[in-house]
Amino acid sequence: MNLADRLHRSAERLGERTVVTLDEAELSYAALDLMTARIATLLRRRGIGAGDRVAIMLPNVPEFAAVYYGVLRAGAVVVPLDPLLRKREIASYVGDCGARLLIAWHAFAETAEAGTAGTRTDCFFVVPDEFRRLLRALPEENGVVPRDDGDTAVIHYTAGTTGRAKGIELTHGNLGGNAATVARMHALGVDDVVLGALPLYHSFGQTCSLNATVHAGARLTLMRRFEAGRALEVIRRDGVTVLQGVPTMYIALLDHPGVSDLSLLRVCVSGGAPLPVDVLRAFESRYGCRIVEGYGLSETSALAATNRSGDGRRPGSVGWPVRGIEMRVVDEDGHEVPCGEVGEIVIRGPNVMKGYWNNPAATAEAIRGGWFHTGDLGRVDGDGFFFLVDRRRDVIIRGGYTVYSREVEEVLYEHPAVRQAAVIGVPHPELGEEIAAVVALRMPVDAETLRAFVRERVAAYKYPRHVSFVDELPVTPTGKILKRAIALPLTTGGQPSRG
Ligand code: AMP
């Protein structure tokens, strides 16, 4: 079934009920469905149809939903791009997937045009009022172009690391199934209001906020970008019942001085990066709403595992796989390791991507023996709860000892002065790597105090010899601390640079 059918069905059922808002702007299910039908006409008139790729570069605005489902309705494939991409990145992504069209928000017109110059991708700019006028003048395309579960619906590009860009191909079946799973896990219903603060171009926000809301017939209240004070206002103003966020959002809410009545909130979901246990506990005691942590990757359509309500939760764990999905911890040869031992997390199930677009070598490397290899290290306890230990590439080897950066970060977060912490390996002539911590503070503390604090709590080889301070750590819009972008203000001999 085409993912756009889910919107169409909800529209038939819920007509004039609101599906998406951004402050005063509001769309009903019927209006959104009609817009998608007209966008499908617009695309067809440009000769775009089943299987063609259409890139979209839109912020969190109601038009995102219209264009996204409009492209799908026409049978084409959505390639969502981060609106903040530079022209070189745009050129690389639209070139790689051979996009016929890039639909961009008017404010990004210049970069979009520069990025598509010299490619075969045309540009179309969304200027809100003009766009609505244009659409109103178009007849709606009848019906949704049929697509099979195995047909590609969306290609997500992996965050720009080195090497060739990888386009994650997700099918209508992958995404529709995962949206239904998310809606079921959080018992989403027509009376729910979901805060749409996660970027919709990324799989977490797209599946868990947009697609799950539409599947359930709920309402999504968007924020162009997350800001804690504003989020508290929107939560109160719109009676938000479901908050989905990355750990940096929970940290920001915790640091916000304002007091807010969040009594309507019934579930807070965290994912995308490790949620320090201390942040979870502090958030819950301040706001009185439980945080449920989940885990997944863009390659797994978003959600693979999650904690449950009641006793089905263990702080620090990502819970266990959702229905229909299998998850294991394996060694280098792909054999399952005994309970409690650390290995790579592998995932199998209907949420696993079809592959990397036009890149059979990368696909074969990632999906081996039917299992998708995540590159995340973890362990599973006797009750089946999974714990993420570190990303494989963030593991530090100090003098032959393995140090998981996350373990040391968790200890740093226990100190009341620490707002953000990243533990990284820095080159060392004898040890290979030495442990360094880079910390953003919420109140003054010196480096020696933090060093001593960690030293008392972990084995001697693990505590950070270097501690340095920054005002803010570099964080991606999807909540991951960009360890590679941390400029180390280190002095020699392990002395702190300041503090
Ligand atoms: P992306 O493909 O951008 O969604 O990123 C997926 C990566 O985010 C995973 O491979 C994990 O490293 C990380 N991640 C997602 N959820 C969690 C979580 N709950 N705890 C720790 N890391 C997470």
Side-chain angles (χ1 to χ4, degrees), residues 380-391:
V380 57
D381 74 8
D383 298 324
F385 282 85
F386 283 75
F387 290 80
L388 288 201
V389 172
D390 222 344
R391 304 184 90 172

PDB file of all heavy atoms in Angstrom, residues 380-391:
ATOM      1  N   VAL A 380      22.783  -7.259  26.182  1.00  0.00           N
ATOM      2  CA  VAL A 380      21.402  -7.517  26.563  1.00  0.00           C
ATOM      3  C   VAL A 380      21.420  -8.187  27.945  1.00  0.00           C
ATOM      4  O   VAL A 380      22.303  -9.006  28.219  1.00  0.00           O
ATOM      5  CB  VAL A 380      20.690  -8.363  25.476  1.00  0.00           C
ATOM      6  CG1 VAL A 380      21.389  -9.669  25.211  1.00  0.00           C
ATOM      7  CG2 VAL A 380      19.220  -8.599  25.788  1.00  0.00           C
ATOM      8  N   ASP A 381      20.503  -7.809  28.820  1.00  0.00           N
ATOM      9  CA  ASP A 381      20.514  -8.419  30.159  1.00  0.00           C
ATOM     10  C   ASP A 381      19.604  -9.650  30.199  1.00  0.00           C
ATOM     11  O   ASP A 381      18.971 -10.011  29.197  1.00  0.00           O
ATOM     12  CB  ASP A 381      20.171  -7.384  31.248  1.00  0.00           C
ATOM     13  CG  ASP A 381      18.688  -7.003  31.274  1.00  0.00           C
ATOM     14  OD1 ASP A 381      17.881  -7.633  30.552  1.00  0.00           O
ATOM     15  OD2 ASP A 381      18.333  -6.067  32.023  1.00  0.00           O
ATOM     16  N   GLY A 382      19.561 -10.297  31.352  1.00  0.00           N
ATOM     17  CA  GLY A 382      18.826 -11.553  31.490  1.00  0.00           C
ATOM     18  C   GLY A 382      17.333 -11.414  31.218  1.00  0.00           C
ATOM     19  O   GLY A 382      16.659 -12.391  30.880  1.00  0.00           O
ATOM     20  N   ASP A 383      16.798 -10.208  31.342  1.00  0.00           N
ATOM     21  CA  ASP A 383      15.371 -10.007  31.085  1.00  0.00           C
ATOM     22  C   ASP A 383      15.088  -9.549  29.662  1.00  0.00           C
ATOM     23  O   ASP A 383      13.956  -9.193  29.335  1.00  0.00           O
ATOM     24  CB  ASP A 383      14.807  -8.971  32.067  1.00  0.00           C
ATOM     25  CG  ASP A 383      14.929  -9.437  33.504  1.00  0.00           C
ATOM     26  OD1 ASP A 383      14.777 -10.653  33.730  1.00  0.00           O
ATOM     27  OD2 ASP A 383      15.202  -8.599  34.383  1.00  0.00           O
ATOM     28  N   GLY A 384      16.144  -9.487  28.867  1.00  0.00           N
ATOM     29  CA  GLY A 384      15.928  -9.128  27.467  1.00  0.00           C
ATOM     30  C   GLY A 384      16.009  -7.639  27.175  1.00  0.00           C
ATOM     31  O   GLY A 384      15.709  -7.204  26.065  1.00  0.00           O
ATOM     32  N   PHE A 385      16.412  -6.819  28.171  1.00  0.00           N
ATOM     33  CA  PHE A 385      16.566  -5.378  27.927  1.00  0.00           C
ATOM     34  C   PHE A 385      17.911  -5.130  27.243  1.00  0.00           C
ATOM     35  O   PHE A 385      18.934  -5.648  27.678  1.00  0.00           O
ATOM     36  CB  PHE A 385      16.545  -4.600  29.247  1.00  0.00           C
ATOM     37  CG  PHE A 385      15.165  -4.417  29.816  1.00  0.00           C
ATOM     38  CD1 PHE A 385      14.586  -5.406  30.602  1.00  0.00           C
ATOM     39  CD2 PHE A 385      14.451  -3.255  29.559  1.00  0.00           C
ATOM     40  CE1 PHE A 385      13.318  -5.238  31.130  1.00  0.00           C
ATOM     41  CE2 PHE A 385      13.177  -3.077  30.083  1.00  0.00           C
ATOM     42  CZ  PHE A 385      12.610  -4.078  30.868  1.00  0.00           C
ATOM     43  N   PHE A 386      17.887  -4.312  26.207  1.00  0.00           N
ATOM     44  CA  PHE A 386      19.122  -3.972  25.496  1.00  0.00           C
ATOM     45  C   PHE A 386      19.702  -2.670  26.045  1.00  0.00           C
ATOM     46  O   PHE A 386      18.964  -1.717  26.321  1.00  0.00           O
ATOM     47  CB  PHE A 386      18.857  -3.799  23.993  1.00  0.00           C
ATOM     48  CG  PHE A 386      18.702  -5.113  23.281  1.00  0.00           C
ATOM     49  CD1 PHE A 386      17.536  -5.857  23.414  1.00  0.00           C
ATOM     50  CD2 PHE A 386      19.723  -5.613  22.490  1.00  0.00           C
ATOM     51  CE1 PHE A 386      17.390  -7.077  22.767  1.00  0.00           C
ATOM     52  CE2 PHE A 386      19.584  -6.829  21.836  1.00  0.00           C
ATOM     53  CZ  PHE A 386      18.424  -7.568  21.971  1.00  0.00           C
ATOM     54  N   PHE A 387      21.023  -2.666  26.170  1.00  0.00           N
ATOM     55  CA  PHE A 387      21.736  -1.470  26.615  1.00  0.00           C
ATOM     56  C   PHE A 387      22.743  -1.097  25.537  1.00  0.00           C
ATOM     57  O   PHE A 387      23.511  -1.948  25.104  1.00  0.00           O
ATOM     58  CB  PHE A 387      22.478  -1.739  27.935  1.00  0.00           C
ATOM     59  CG  PHE A 387      21.539  -1.909  29.097  1.00  0.00           C
ATOM     60  CD1 PHE A 387      20.883  -3.114  29.308  1.00  0.00           C
ATOM     61  CD2 PHE A 387      21.290  -0.849  29.961  1.00  0.00           C
ATOM     62  CE1 PHE A 387      19.995  -3.273  30.365  1.00  0.00           C
ATOM     63  CE2 PHE A 387      20.408  -0.997  31.026  1.00  0.00           C
ATOM     64  CZ  PHE A 387      19.754  -2.209  31.228  1.00  0.00           C
ATOM     65  N   LEU A 388      22.723   0.143  25.112  1.00  0.00           N
ATOM     66  CA  LEU A 388      23.712   0.580  24.130  1.00  0.00           C
ATOM     67  C   LEU A 388      24.959   0.984  24.886  1.00  0.00           C
ATOM     68  O   LEU A 388      24.879   1.728  25.859  1.00  0.00           O
ATOM     69  CB  LEU A 388      23.202   1.776  23.339  1.00  0.00           C
ATOM     70  CG  LEU A 388      22.117   1.517  22.325  1.00  0.00           C
ATOM     71  CD1 LEU A 388      22.085   2.633  21.303  1.00  0.00           C
ATOM     72  CD2 LEU A 388      22.323   0.210  21.622  1.00  0.00           C
ATOM     73  N   VAL A 389      26.082   0.501  24.420  1.00  0.00           N
ATOM     74  CA  VAL A 389      27.315   0.769  25.136  1.00  0.00           C
ATOM     75  C   VAL A 389      28.066   1.924  24.483  1.00  0.00           C
ATOM     76  O   VAL A 389      28.544   2.833  25.149  1.00  0.00           O
ATOM     77  CB  VAL A 389      28.167  -0.514  25.176  1.00  0.00           C
ATOM     78  CG1 VAL A 389      29.541  -0.242  25.727  1.00  0.00           C
ATOM     79  CG2 VAL A 389      27.464  -1.572  26.023  1.00  0.00           C
ATOM     80  N   ASP A 390      28.145   1.909  23.184  1.00  0.00           N
ATOM     81  CA  ASP A 390      28.831   2.974  22.455  1.00  0.00           C
ATOM     82  C   ASP A 390      28.627   2.737  20.976  1.00  0.00           C
ATOM     83  O   ASP A 390      28.240   1.650  20.561  1.00  0.00           O
ATOM     84  CB  ASP A 390      30.347   2.934  22.749  1.00  0.00           C
ATOM     85  CG  ASP A 390      30.927   4.327  22.961  1.00  0.00           C
ATOM     86  OD1 ASP A 390      30.259   5.305  22.597  1.00  0.00           O
ATOM     87  OD2 ASP A 390      32.037   4.416  23.492  1.00  0.00           O
ATOM     88  N   ARG A 391      28.938   3.771  20.175  1.00  0.00           N
ATOM     89  CA  ARG A 391      29.003   3.516  18.746  1.00  0.00           C
ATOM     90  C   ARG A 391      30.380   2.903  18.516  1.00  0.00           C
ATOM     91  O   ARG A 391      31.344   3.286  19.188  1.00  0.00           O
ATOM     92  CB  ARG A 391      28.884   4.814  17.959  1.00  0.00           C
ATOM     93  CG  ARG A 391      27.632   5.556  18.314  1.00  0.00           C
ATOM     94  CD  ARG A 391      27.478   6.771  17.462  1.00  0.00           C
ATOM     95  NE  ARG A 391      26.719   6.399  16.277  1.00  0.00           N
ATOM     96  CZ  ARG A 391      26.278   7.273  15.379  1.00  0.00           C
ATOM     97  NH1 ARG A 391      26.550   8.519  15.497  1.00  0.00           N
ATOM     98  NH2 ARG A 391      25.574   6.866  14.357  1.00  0.00           N
TER      99      ARG A 391
END
